[in-house]
């Protein structure tokens, strides 16, 4: 696991490349290296997980092909055997070392042979100099880039703060971003909250050269899995697939751990991982004091059943104002889920306990219909407007409330342009596939990479911890998508096949518990008298909001008054979301806020 960065046809000095590397050093503390030539450079920050004594990057294929890589290739042993039979030789057993030989054999189609999570950059000088960027099917390893159409220059990095450390990459607000963010909790698709900065979509290969400029190709997904004959067969098949993938994903040359919330998905991954790893350690996060949605007792029961050595991590809500700016900086753009703060603290504890790899149960809800919003949409009567309710359930701030919070000029901009919610609703309504298939494709193809996987990647790698996700493995993704609707959502319940797969492996308390969100109880924590409420009050002060010009200070004050007298999830999440957005502006927009820009952030990272 690593972080990567580089450029094509920009004029970047070695000092500037080292600055970029310094900003994302937390994601690769073991080595910082780069290679450069006329009009190009590729760099790598290494987190040594496989073959720590080998795996030195950048990789080379002769004198004319250079490769850097971030992620894990789980089928590297099989690929090495195949490539050795074709005459290639390898000096180590690191997973990424198969990439030059694979590229030599298959060229730009080399990704078709990879099973894993990855972002890869290749500079090929054998004909016209060309840069190639490629990402995995699910979008587990993000890659951000800035393409300057006028100068025909491209710069890229695994993290937004690192990309902004490149000279020539402006930190400019994408004006519609606030509404996009409040509509979907973070921008979906290729656009980021920064004007001119994009993120590589899942299953995409991007190439750039001087004659053709920037080109992007979405790779075709492999054929789907066969449908099962019934519920029992489906449950058995999912259990076997998950068992096989979990056994593959626990292979590492450093200690491996698991994250468990005490819910179905993470507990099932923990149960299967415990059968493959002796003396497995599990981690759960909770908050000092008594709060709603406390899941620690479920996590403890699952740990006892699975025989793991359990770590109960606690954070004090009084520390939230100190933690939140760090979370926002590492994410690089706003994400409205309060669980970001807990996730950051949890992976810090995993690292402090001596672990560099952690398995999680992420992505099961998207694949198997686990969210309430999916079940509600699927079970809505034919002919009803299920789309509007579903789209509004994605929002950090419901449509009517967010429009009331905007300053008049910003409200006019949104009205003229249309919102992300409008666009999503049109696309869903226009779909000709069955309802659950439409929703699943949207959840896994649009929402999950942007909102979920980037959050997990950035906040784990902030602590130098590699997260592995069994449910994102292609075999499971394809099989889950092939399941008939009734084997995922029916009778008022989601994830029916997954519950069947977990039967006999987990305690009844976990299998029978009602679903609850794995999140921070923000409605209870963001009330007068708490550190978080006072912090939000200061950051969202009327004078500051007037200077920004996007929000109506009177309306935001009204939201504070509502939360103070009648605390609710609606008001609390809205205030949390506005607080995160304001922190993002303060950290990355020196012309609009009080924080320093990318150079100072690079100095801060180097000092850390």
């Amino acid at each position: 696991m690593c972080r990567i960065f580089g450029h094509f046809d920009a004029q970047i000095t070695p000092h500037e490349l080292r600055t970029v590397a310094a900003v994302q050093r937390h994601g690769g503390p073991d080595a910082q290296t780069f290679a450069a030539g006329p009009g190009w450079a590729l760099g790598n920050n290494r987190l040594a997980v496989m073959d720590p004594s080998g795996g030195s990057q950048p990789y080379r294929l002769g004198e004319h092909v250079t490769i850097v890589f971030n992620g894990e290739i789980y089928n590297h042993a099989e690929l090495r055997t195949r490539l050795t039979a074709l005459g290639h030789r390898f000096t180590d057993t690191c997973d990424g070392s198969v990439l030059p030989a694979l590229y030599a054999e298959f060229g730009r189609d080399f990704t078709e042979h990879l099973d894993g999570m990855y972002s890869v950059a290749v500079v090929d000088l054998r004909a016209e100099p060309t840069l190639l960027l490629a990402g995995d099917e699910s979008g587990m390893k993000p890659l951000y880039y800035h393409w300057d159409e006028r100068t025909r220059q491209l710069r890229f990095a695994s993290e937004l703060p690192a990309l902004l450390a490149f000279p020539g990459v402006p930190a400019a607000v994408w004006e519609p971003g606030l509404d996009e963010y409040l509509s979907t909790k973070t921008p979906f698709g290729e656009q980021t909250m920064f004007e001119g900065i994009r993120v590589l979509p899942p299953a995409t290969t991007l190439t750039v050269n001087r004659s053709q400029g920037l080109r992007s190709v979405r790779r075709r997904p492999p054929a789907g899995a066969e449908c099962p004959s019934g519920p029992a067969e489906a449950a058995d098949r999912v259990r076997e697939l998950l068992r096989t993938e979990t056994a593959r994903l626990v292979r590492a040359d450093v200690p491996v751990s698991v994250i468990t919330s005490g819910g179905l998905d993470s507990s099932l991954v923990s149960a299967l991982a415990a059968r493959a790893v002796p003396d497995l350690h599990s981690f759960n996060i909770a908050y000092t004091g008594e709060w709603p949605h406390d899941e620690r007792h479920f996590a403890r029961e699952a740990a006892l059943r699975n025989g793991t050595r359990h770590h109960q991590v606690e954070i004090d809500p009084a520390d939230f104002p100190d933690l939140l700016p760090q979370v926002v900086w590492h994410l690089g753009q706003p994400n409205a889920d309060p669980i970001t703060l807990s996730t950051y603290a949890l992976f810090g504890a995993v690292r402090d306990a001596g672990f560099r790899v952690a398995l999680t149960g992420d992505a099961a809800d998207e694949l198997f219909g686990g969210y309430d919003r999916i079940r509600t949409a699927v079970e809505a009567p034919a002919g009803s407007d299920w789309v509007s309710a579903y789209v509004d359930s994605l929002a950090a701030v419901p449509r009517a409330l967010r429009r009331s919070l905007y300053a008049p000029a910003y409200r006019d901009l949104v009205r003229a342009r249309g919102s992300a919610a409008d666009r999503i609703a049109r696309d869903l309504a226009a779909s000709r596939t069955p309802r659950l298939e439409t929703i699943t494709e949207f959840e896994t193809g649009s929402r999950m990479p942007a909102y979920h996987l980037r959050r997990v990647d950035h906040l784990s790698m902030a602590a130098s911890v590699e997260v592995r996700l069994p449910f994102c493995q292609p075999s499971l993704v394809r099989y889950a998508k092939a399941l008939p609707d009734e084997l995922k959502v029916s009778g008022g319940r989601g994830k029916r096949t997954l519950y069947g797969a977990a039967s006999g492996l987990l305690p009844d308390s976990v299998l029978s518990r009602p679903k609850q969100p794995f999140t921070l109880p923000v409605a209870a924590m963001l009330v007068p008298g708490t550190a978080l409420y006072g912090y939000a009050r200061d950051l969202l002060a009327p004078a500051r909001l007037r200077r920004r010009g996007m929000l109506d200070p009177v309306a935001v004050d009204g939201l504070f008054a509502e939360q103070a007298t009648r605390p609710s999830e609606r008001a609390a999440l809205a205030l949390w979301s506005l607080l995160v957005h304001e922190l993002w502006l303060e950290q990355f927009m020196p012309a609009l806020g009080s924080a320093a820009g990318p150079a100072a952030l690079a100095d801060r990272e180097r000092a850390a």
Side-chain angles (χ1 to χ4, degrees), residues 58-82:
Y59 302 117
R60 299 281 194 171
L61 176 63
E63 298 180 0
H64 302 295
V65 175
T66 306
I67 300 174
V68 291
F69 157 69
N70 170 30
E72 291 292 343
I73 300 170
Y74 301 123
N75 65 335
H76 68 96
E78 298 96 313
L79 289 173
R80 189 174 291 105
T81 299
R82 287 171 52 197

PDB file of all heavy atoms in Angstrom, residues 58-82:
ATOM      1  N   PRO A  58      10.041   3.597  -7.958  1.00  0.00           N
ATOM      2  CA  PRO A  58       9.250   3.184  -9.117  1.00  0.00           C
ATOM      3  C   PRO A  58       9.789   1.900  -9.757  1.00  0.00           C
ATOM      4  O   PRO A  58      10.980   1.604  -9.701  1.00  0.00           O
ATOM      5  CB  PRO A  58       9.388   4.365 -10.078  1.00  0.00           C
ATOM      6  CG  PRO A  58       9.763   5.539  -9.234  1.00  0.00           C
ATOM      7  CD  PRO A  58      10.625   4.949  -8.148  1.00  0.00           C
ATOM      8  N   TYR A  59       8.860   1.150 -10.385  1.00  0.00           N
ATOM      9  CA  TYR A  59       9.220  -0.049 -11.123  1.00  0.00           C
ATOM     10  C   TYR A  59       9.649   0.339 -12.540  1.00  0.00           C
ATOM     11  O   TYR A  59       9.170   1.322 -13.093  1.00  0.00           O
ATOM     12  CB  TYR A  59       8.036  -1.014 -11.204  1.00  0.00           C
ATOM     13  CG  TYR A  59       7.491  -1.442  -9.868  1.00  0.00           C
ATOM     14  CD1 TYR A  59       6.182  -1.115  -9.488  1.00  0.00           C
ATOM     15  CD2 TYR A  59       8.263  -2.193  -8.985  1.00  0.00           C
ATOM     16  CE1 TYR A  59       5.672  -1.517  -8.272  1.00  0.00           C
ATOM     17  CE2 TYR A  59       7.753  -2.593  -7.758  1.00  0.00           C
ATOM     18  CZ  TYR A  59       6.456  -2.254  -7.403  1.00  0.00           C
ATOM     19  OH  TYR A  59       5.942  -2.647  -6.196  1.00  0.00           O
ATOM     20  N   ARG A  60      10.510  -0.493 -13.138  1.00  0.00           N
ATOM     21  CA  ARG A  60      11.006  -0.205 -14.475  1.00  0.00           C
ATOM     22  C   ARG A  60      10.793  -1.396 -15.404  1.00  0.00           C
ATOM     23  O   ARG A  60      10.898  -2.554 -14.980  1.00  0.00           O
ATOM     24  CB  ARG A  60      12.506   0.081 -14.431  1.00  0.00           C
ATOM     25  CG  ARG A  60      12.899   1.275 -13.576  1.00  0.00           C
ATOM     26  CD  ARG A  60      12.666   2.594 -14.273  1.00  0.00           C
ATOM     27  NE  ARG A  60      13.325   3.696 -13.593  1.00  0.00           N
ATOM     28  CZ  ARG A  60      13.417   4.922 -14.090  1.00  0.00           C
ATOM     29  NH1 ARG A  60      12.909   5.191 -15.284  1.00  0.00           N
ATOM     30  NH2 ARG A  60      14.007   5.872 -13.414  1.00  0.00           N
ATOM     31  N   LEU A  61      10.516  -1.084 -16.647  1.00  0.00           N
ATOM     32  CA  LEU A  61      10.518  -2.066 -17.721  1.00  0.00           C
ATOM     33  C   LEU A  61      11.504  -1.551 -18.749  1.00  0.00           C
ATOM     34  O   LEU A  61      11.188  -0.654 -19.547  1.00  0.00           O
ATOM     35  CB  LEU A  61       9.123  -2.214 -18.330  1.00  0.00           C
ATOM     36  CG  LEU A  61       8.994  -3.155 -19.529  1.00  0.00           C
ATOM     37  CD1 LEU A  61       9.348  -4.586 -19.149  1.00  0.00           C
ATOM     38  CD2 LEU A  61       7.587  -3.084 -20.117  1.00  0.00           C
ATOM     39  N   GLY A  62      12.736  -2.062 -18.684  1.00  0.00           N
ATOM     40  CA  GLY A  62      13.787  -1.528 -19.537  1.00  0.00           C
ATOM     41  C   GLY A  62      14.070  -0.080 -19.195  1.00  0.00           C
ATOM     42  O   GLY A  62      13.939   0.354 -18.055  1.00  0.00           O
ATOM     43  N   GLU A  63      14.420   0.700 -20.214  1.00  0.00           N
ATOM     44  CA  GLU A  63      14.754   2.104 -19.990  1.00  0.00           C
ATOM     45  C   GLU A  63      13.601   3.043 -20.284  1.00  0.00           C
ATOM     46  O   GLU A  63      13.693   4.247 -20.002  1.00  0.00           O
ATOM     47  CB  GLU A  63      15.943   2.495 -20.897  1.00  0.00           C
ATOM     48  CG  GLU A  63      17.218   1.726 -20.612  1.00  0.00           C
ATOM     49  CD  GLU A  63      18.345   2.155 -21.528  1.00  0.00           C
ATOM     50  OE1 GLU A  63      18.111   3.044 -22.370  1.00  0.00           O
ATOM     51  OE2 GLU A  63      19.465   1.614 -21.403  1.00  0.00           O
ATOM     52  N   HIS A  64      12.485   2.518 -20.809  1.00  0.00           N
ATOM     53  CA  HIS A  64      11.478   3.419 -21.360  1.00  0.00           C
ATOM     54  C   HIS A  64      10.101   3.339 -20.702  1.00  0.00           C
ATOM     55  O   HIS A  64       9.216   4.111 -21.062  1.00  0.00           O
ATOM     56  CB  HIS A  64      11.328   3.146 -22.866  1.00  0.00           C
ATOM     57  CG  HIS A  64      12.600   3.309 -23.635  1.00  0.00           C
ATOM     58  ND1 HIS A  64      13.236   4.521 -23.761  1.00  0.00           N
ATOM     59  CD2 HIS A  64      13.376   2.409 -24.295  1.00  0.00           C
ATOM     60  CE1 HIS A  64      14.326   4.377 -24.474  1.00  0.00           C
ATOM     61  NE2 HIS A  64      14.443   3.103 -24.816  1.00  0.00           N
ATOM     62  N   VAL A  65       9.897   2.424 -19.762  1.00  0.00           N
ATOM     63  CA  VAL A  65       8.602   2.320 -19.075  1.00  0.00           C
ATOM     64  C   VAL A  65       8.849   2.396 -17.574  1.00  0.00           C
ATOM     65  O   VAL A  65       9.671   1.647 -17.026  1.00  0.00           O
ATOM     66  CB  VAL A  65       7.872   1.008 -19.426  1.00  0.00           C
ATOM     67  CG1 VAL A  65       6.588   0.886 -18.603  1.00  0.00           C
ATOM     68  CG2 VAL A  65       7.553   0.962 -20.913  1.00  0.00           C
ATOM     69  N   THR A  66       8.143   3.310 -16.912  1.00  0.00           N
ATOM     70  CA  THR A  66       8.244   3.504 -15.468  1.00  0.00           C
ATOM     71  C   THR A  66       6.849   3.413 -14.872  1.00  0.00           C
ATOM     72  O   THR A  66       5.887   3.958 -15.440  1.00  0.00           O
ATOM     73  CB  THR A  66       8.876   4.867 -15.138  1.00  0.00           C
ATOM     74  OG1 THR A  66      10.128   4.981 -15.827  1.00  0.00           O
ATOM     75  CG2 THR A  66       9.101   5.023 -13.649  1.00  0.00           C
ATOM     76  N   ILE A  67       6.723   2.749 -13.719  1.00  0.00           N
ATOM     77  CA  ILE A  67       5.407   2.492 -13.112  1.00  0.00           C
ATOM     78  C   ILE A  67       5.468   2.771 -11.618  1.00  0.00           C
ATOM     79  O   ILE A  67       6.428   2.387 -10.939  1.00  0.00           O
ATOM     80  CB  ILE A  67       4.974   1.022 -13.342  1.00  0.00           C
ATOM     81  CG1 ILE A  67       4.884   0.706 -14.837  1.00  0.00           C
ATOM     82  CG2 ILE A  67       3.638   0.732 -12.661  1.00  0.00           C
ATOM     83  CD1 ILE A  67       4.602  -0.757 -15.146  1.00  0.00           C
ATOM     84  N   VAL A  68       4.426   3.419 -11.093  1.00  0.00           N
ATOM     85  CA  VAL A  68       4.200   3.505  -9.646  1.00  0.00           C
ATOM     86  C   VAL A  68       2.795   2.990  -9.359  1.00  0.00           C
ATOM     87  O   VAL A  68       1.903   3.047 -10.210  1.00  0.00           O
ATOM     88  CB  VAL A  68       4.398   4.927  -9.087  1.00  0.00           C
ATOM     89  CG1 VAL A  68       5.850   5.332  -9.130  1.00  0.00           C
ATOM     90  CG2 VAL A  68       3.511   5.947  -9.805  1.00  0.00           C
ATOM     91  N   PHE A  69       2.593   2.539  -8.116  1.00  0.00           N
ATOM     92  CA  PHE A  69       1.401   1.753  -7.802  1.00  0.00           C
ATOM     93  C   PHE A  69       0.994   1.997  -6.356  1.00  0.00           C
ATOM     94  O   PHE A  69       1.846   2.070  -5.461  1.00  0.00           O
ATOM     95  CB  PHE A  69       1.731   0.277  -8.057  1.00  0.00           C
ATOM     96  CG  PHE A  69       0.886  -0.718  -7.318  1.00  0.00           C
ATOM     97  CD1 PHE A  69      -0.447  -0.883  -7.632  1.00  0.00           C
ATOM     98  CD2 PHE A  69       1.443  -1.513  -6.329  1.00  0.00           C
ATOM     99  CE1 PHE A  69      -1.213  -1.818  -6.956  1.00  0.00           C
ATOM    100  CE2 PHE A  69       0.695  -2.448  -5.651  1.00  0.00           C
ATOM    101  CZ  PHE A  69      -0.651  -2.613  -5.968  1.00  0.00           C
ATOM    102  N   ASN A  70      -0.302   2.091  -6.132  1.00  0.00           N
ATOM    103  CA  ASN A  70      -0.882   2.204  -4.793  1.00  0.00           C
ATOM    104  C   ASN A  70      -1.956   1.139  -4.658  1.00  0.00           C
ATOM    105  O   ASN A  70      -2.851   1.057  -5.497  1.00  0.00           O
ATOM    106  CB  ASN A  70      -1.497   3.596  -4.598  1.00  0.00           C
ATOM    107  CG  ASN A  70      -2.313   3.693  -3.323  1.00  0.00           C
ATOM    108  OD1 ASN A  70      -2.032   3.012  -2.341  1.00  0.00           O
ATOM    109  ND2 ASN A  70      -3.331   4.538  -3.344  1.00  0.00           N
ATOM    110  N   GLY A  71      -1.873   0.322  -3.609  1.00  0.00           N
ATOM    111  CA  GLY A  71      -2.917  -0.668  -3.374  1.00  0.00           C
ATOM    112  C   GLY A  71      -2.366  -2.034  -3.068  1.00  0.00           C
ATOM    113  O   GLY A  71      -1.240  -2.191  -2.582  1.00  0.00           O
ATOM    114  N   GLU A  72      -3.187  -3.059  -3.341  1.00  0.00           N
ATOM    115  CA  GLU A  72      -2.787  -4.450  -3.165  1.00  0.00           C
ATOM    116  C   GLU A  72      -3.319  -5.267  -4.337  1.00  0.00           C
ATOM    117  O   GLU A  72      -4.488  -5.116  -4.723  1.00  0.00           O
ATOM    118  CB  GLU A  72      -3.345  -5.047  -1.866  1.00  0.00           C
ATOM    119  CG  GLU A  72      -2.734  -4.474  -0.597  1.00  0.00           C
ATOM    120  CD  GLU A  72      -1.272  -4.861  -0.405  1.00  0.00           C
ATOM    121  OE1 GLU A  72      -0.810  -5.806  -1.065  1.00  0.00           O
ATOM    122  OE2 GLU A  72      -0.599  -4.211   0.415  1.00  0.00           O
ATOM    123  N   ILE A  73      -2.464  -6.136  -4.885  1.00  0.00           N
ATOM    124  CA  ILE A  73      -2.872  -7.051  -5.937  1.00  0.00           C
ATOM    125  C   ILE A  73      -2.950  -8.437  -5.306  1.00  0.00           C
ATOM    126  O   ILE A  73      -1.915  -9.052  -4.999  1.00  0.00           O
ATOM    127  CB  ILE A  73      -1.871  -7.035  -7.113  1.00  0.00           C
ATOM    128  CG1 ILE A  73      -1.804  -5.623  -7.700  1.00  0.00           C
ATOM    129  CG2 ILE A  73      -2.276  -8.037  -8.190  1.00  0.00           C
ATOM    130  CD1 ILE A  73      -0.686  -5.428  -8.687  1.00  0.00           C
ATOM    131  N   TYR A  74      -4.169  -8.932  -5.108  1.00  0.00           N
ATOM    132  CA  TYR A  74      -4.335 -10.163  -4.349  1.00  0.00           C
ATOM    133  C   TYR A  74      -3.985 -11.407  -5.162  1.00  0.00           C
ATOM    134  O   TYR A  74      -3.709 -12.457  -4.583  1.00  0.00           O
ATOM    135  CB  TYR A  74      -5.765 -10.251  -3.823  1.00  0.00           C
ATOM    136  CG  TYR A  74      -6.133  -9.087  -2.935  1.00  0.00           C
ATOM    137  CD1 TYR A  74      -7.220  -8.277  -3.229  1.00  0.00           C
ATOM    138  CD2 TYR A  74      -5.370  -8.783  -1.809  1.00  0.00           C
ATOM    139  CE1 TYR A  74      -7.550  -7.206  -2.423  1.00  0.00           C
ATOM    140  CE2 TYR A  74      -5.682  -7.709  -0.998  1.00  0.00           C
ATOM    141  CZ  TYR A  74      -6.780  -6.915  -1.314  1.00  0.00           C
ATOM    142  OH  TYR A  74      -7.101  -5.848  -0.513  1.00  0.00           O
ATOM    143  N   ASN A  75      -3.992 -11.313  -6.476  1.00  0.00           N
ATOM    144  CA  ASN A  75      -3.636 -12.473  -7.293  1.00  0.00           C
ATOM    145  C   ASN A  75      -2.201 -12.391  -7.822  1.00  0.00           C
ATOM    146  O   ASN A  75      -1.870 -12.964  -8.852  1.00  0.00           O
ATOM    147  CB  ASN A  75      -4.622 -12.648  -8.455  1.00  0.00           C
ATOM    148  CG  ASN A  75      -4.573 -11.487  -9.453  1.00  0.00           C
ATOM    149  OD1 ASN A  75      -4.181 -10.371  -9.098  1.00  0.00           O
ATOM    150  ND2 ASN A  75      -4.967 -11.737 -10.692  1.00  0.00           N
ATOM    151  N   HIS A  76      -1.336 -11.681  -7.090  1.00  0.00           N
ATOM    152  CA  HIS A  76       0.032 -11.472  -7.594  1.00  0.00           C
ATOM    153  C   HIS A  76       0.811 -12.778  -7.684  1.00  0.00           C
ATOM    154  O   HIS A  76       1.644 -12.949  -8.579  1.00  0.00           O
ATOM    155  CB  HIS A  76       0.773 -10.446  -6.725  1.00  0.00           C
ATOM    156  CG  HIS A  76       1.086 -10.908  -5.337  1.00  0.00           C
ATOM    157  ND1 HIS A  76       2.294 -11.449  -4.992  1.00  0.00           N
ATOM    158  CD2 HIS A  76       0.337 -10.909  -4.209  1.00  0.00           C
ATOM    159  CE1 HIS A  76       2.287 -11.748  -3.704  1.00  0.00           C
ATOM    160  NE2 HIS A  76       1.119 -11.441  -3.202  1.00  0.00           N
ATOM    161  N   ALA A  77       0.567 -13.736  -6.777  1.00  0.00           N
ATOM    162  CA  ALA A  77       1.310 -14.999  -6.844  1.00  0.00           C
ATOM    163  C   ALA A  77       0.953 -15.773  -8.112  1.00  0.00           C
ATOM    164  O   ALA A  77       1.838 -16.314  -8.796  1.00  0.00           O
ATOM    165  CB  ALA A  77       1.019 -15.844  -5.607  1.00  0.00           C
ATOM    166  N   GLU A  78      -0.334 -15.818  -8.444  1.00  0.00           N
ATOM    167  CA  GLU A  78      -0.761 -16.495  -9.672  1.00  0.00           C
ATOM    168  C   GLU A  78      -0.203 -15.790 -10.906  1.00  0.00           C
ATOM    169  O   GLU A  78       0.262 -16.435 -11.861  1.00  0.00           O
ATOM    170  CB  GLU A  78      -2.295 -16.543  -9.745  1.00  0.00           C
ATOM    171  CG  GLU A  78      -2.946 -17.317  -8.615  1.00  0.00           C
ATOM    172  CD  GLU A  78      -3.392 -16.420  -7.478  1.00  0.00           C
ATOM    173  OE1 GLU A  78      -2.597 -15.540  -7.040  1.00  0.00           O
ATOM    174  OE2 GLU A  78      -4.530 -16.591  -7.007  1.00  0.00           O
ATOM    175  N   LEU A  79      -0.235 -14.446 -10.885  1.00  0.00           N
ATOM    176  CA  LEU A  79       0.314 -13.696 -12.017  1.00  0.00           C
ATOM    177  C   LEU A  79       1.811 -13.927 -12.155  1.00  0.00           C
ATOM    178  O   LEU A  79       2.332 -14.068 -13.273  1.00  0.00           O
ATOM    179  CB  LEU A  79       0.033 -12.206 -11.834  1.00  0.00           C
ATOM    180  CG  LEU A  79      -1.415 -11.760 -11.999  1.00  0.00           C
ATOM    181  CD1 LEU A  79      -1.561 -10.290 -11.614  1.00  0.00           C
ATOM    182  CD2 LEU A  79      -1.897 -11.982 -13.432  1.00  0.00           C
ATOM    183  N   ARG A  80       2.522 -14.000 -11.037  1.00  0.00           N
ATOM    184  CA  ARG A  80       3.964 -14.198 -11.097  1.00  0.00           C
ATOM    185  C   ARG A  80       4.290 -15.558 -11.717  1.00  0.00           C
ATOM    186  O   ARG A  80       5.243 -15.685 -12.508  1.00  0.00           O
ATOM    187  CB  ARG A  80       4.567 -14.085  -9.689  1.00  0.00           C
ATOM    188  CG  ARG A  80       6.092 -14.067  -9.678  1.00  0.00           C
ATOM    189  CD  ARG A  80       6.653 -13.818  -8.283  1.00  0.00           C
ATOM    190  NE  ARG A  80       6.377 -12.458  -7.854  1.00  0.00           N
ATOM    191  CZ  ARG A  80       5.442 -12.130  -6.958  1.00  0.00           C
ATOM    192  NH1 ARG A  80       4.693 -13.071  -6.403  1.00  0.00           N
ATOM    193  NH2 ARG A  80       5.254 -10.879  -6.617  1.00  0.00           N
ATOM    194  N   THR A  81       3.493 -16.568 -11.373  1.00  0.00           N
ATOM    195  CA  THR A  81       3.705 -17.896 -11.948  1.00  0.00           C
ATOM    196  C   THR A  81       3.489 -17.867 -13.459  1.00  0.00           C
ATOM    197  O   THR A  81       4.289 -18.418 -14.237  1.00  0.00           O
ATOM    198  CB  THR A  81       2.752 -18.912 -11.298  1.00  0.00           C
ATOM    199  OG1 THR A  81       3.023 -18.981  -9.897  1.00  0.00           O
ATOM    200  CG2 THR A  81       2.914 -20.288 -11.915  1.00  0.00           C
ATOM    201  N   ARG A  82       2.401 -17.237 -13.904  1.00  0.00           N
ATOM    202  CA  ARG A  82       2.116 -17.138 -15.337  1.00  0.00           C
ATOM    203  C   ARG A  82       3.213 -16.368 -16.067  1.00  0.00           C
ATOM    204  O   ARG A  82       3.666 -16.765 -17.143  1.00  0.00           O
ATOM    205  CB  ARG A  82       0.771 -16.450 -15.560  1.00  0.00           C
ATOM    206  CG  ARG A  82      -0.448 -17.288 -15.227  1.00  0.00           C
ATOM    207  CD  ARG A  82      -1.699 -16.448 -15.269  1.00  0.00           C
ATOM    208  NE  ARG A  82      -1.825 -15.703 -16.528  1.00  0.00           N
ATOM    209  CZ  ARG A  82      -2.647 -14.662 -16.701  1.00  0.00           C
ATOM    210  NH1 ARG A  82      -3.417 -14.241 -15.701  1.00  0.00           N
ATOM    211  NH2 ARG A  82      -2.711 -14.057 -17.867  1.00  0.00           N
TER     212      ARG A  82
END
